[in-house]
Amino acid sequence: MTVLYIILGLLALILLLLFCSLSITVDYDNKLSVKLGFLGMRFNLMKGKKKEKKKEKKGDNKKAKSKPKEPSPLETKWKEKNFMGKVRFVIEIMREVVPQLKYMLSHTRVRGLRLDIRVANPDAAKTAVEYGNVCSLLYPFLSWLQGFLDISMKKVNVTAAFGEEKCSAKLHFKVKIRVIILLITAFKLIKIYLDLMEVPQNERKKHRFNH
């Protein structure tokens, strides 16, 4: 009986943990930071890379050879795109993912969304055109996203930075979701990711942006 009570206690503890909420805090300002919060604990899932200094030992003629890390397919696609291409790519991925995850998103809360995009180009005319393109993509997309998510926005701002050479973006938001909801939809996310990596970007249906 003692063993049975222990097993039942463990099952009860697991069920309790499954129904606890975890939070994911995302910050982007030239580098991406993702922090996970659960039961009062915080973990860094992703943070900016720091350059490591290599110490050379005297009398050691052998240099450690480090193999260059191969970028993931998603990272390769990201690096190949310019600023507008990245904006389109993010929105397209969201349009692929969001409708497939209605159940999870209906139980997800997004709080404190802050987004600041500065559109810049050495050519003032091109800056104006790119500014219009970003606005025409971003604001309809956020309205569309609110139909799926319980989301509160603190600040969303797009600025035409005339005279500046490079575009920049800052992003912050916190997501709260129960563990069990996250586990139920994890396999769907994996499948969607694999599908996105297999289908070439230029072969996607263009009309999705108009929905």
Side-chain angles (χ1 to χ4, degrees):
M1 289 296 292
T2 304
V3 175
L4 179 60
Y5 289 144
I6 293 174
I7 293 173
L8 290 175
L10 289 174
L11 290 174
L13 178 61
I14 291 171
L15 286 174
L16 180 63
L17 291 175
L18 287 175
F19 283 92
C20 288
S21 294
L22 59 81
S23 65
I24 300 172
T25 304
V26 177
D27 284 285
Y28 178 80
D29 186 0
N30 294 325
K31 61 181 181 180
L32 181 63
S33 171
V34 181
K35 295 180 180 179
L36 175 67
F38 184 63
L39 297 177
M41 298 178 290
R42 284 185 170 274
F43 308 92
N44 283 327
L45 300 182
M46 187 181 297
K47 57 184 178 179
K49 296 180 180 179
K50 295 181 180 179
K51 295 183 179 179
E52 298 181 356
K53 294 181 179 179
K54 296 182 179 179
K55 295 181 180 179
E56 296 182 358
K57 295 181 179 181
K58 293 181 180 180
D60 187 5
N61 295 327
K62 296 181 180 180
K63 295 183 178 179
K65 295 182 179 179
S66 58
K67 295 181 180 179
K69 185 180 178 182
E70 294 184 1
S72 65
L74 184 61
E75 187 178 358
T76 301
K77 285 177 177 287
W78 181 262
K79 288 182 177 180
E80 289 174 352
K81 299 181 182 300
N82 57 19
F83 183 78
M84 274 302 301
K86 289 177 180 178
V87 172
R88 290 181 182 274
F89 187 54
V90 170
I91 291 178
E92 184 171 355
I93 288 178
M94 293 294 288
R95 286 190 179 275
E96 291 275 1
V97 171
V98 171
Q100 304 298 326
L101 303 175
K102 290 182 181 179
Y103 175 73
M104 184 188 75
L105 295 175
S106 65
H107 294 80
T108 302
R109 293 169 292 164
V110 179
R111 295 292 177 262
L113 175 65
R114 296 194 299 269
L115 176 60
D116 184 14
I117 297 177
R118 295 179 65 82
V119 182
N121 192 294
D123 188 331
K126 289 182 178 179
T127 300
V129 172
E130 291 181 3
Y131 169 79
N133 288 336
V134 171
C135 290
S136 66
L137 283 171
L138 180 63
Y139 291 113
F141 170 71
L142 290 176
S143 298
W144 173 81
L145 193 62
Q146 285 181 308
F148 295 91
L149 275 171
D150 176 10
I151 181 171
S152 67
M153 302 184 191
K154 279 193 174 181
K155 176 186 175 184
V156 177
N157 187 39
V158 182
T159 305
F162 295 100
E164 296 184 13
E165 294 187 359
K166 292 183 179 180
C167 298
S168 63
K170 294 180 181 179
L171 174 66
H172 169 86
F173 63 89
K174 178 181 284 189
V175 178
K176 291 187 176 182
I177 186 172
R178 295 186 187 277
V179 175
I180 191 169
I181 303 297
L182 194 62
L183 291 177
I184 289 172
T185 54
F187 292 105
K188 286 187 178 182
L189 281 172
I190 294 171
K191 183 180 182 302
I192 291 170
Y193 173 81
L194 294 175
D195 290 342
L196 284 169
M197 292 304 98
E198 290 176 0
V199 180
Q201 179 76 9
N202 56 5
E203 293 181 8
R204 304 280 180 80
K205 295 179 181 179
K206 296 180 180 179
H207 71 271
R208 287 174 184 158
F209 285 98
N210 299 323
H211 289 180

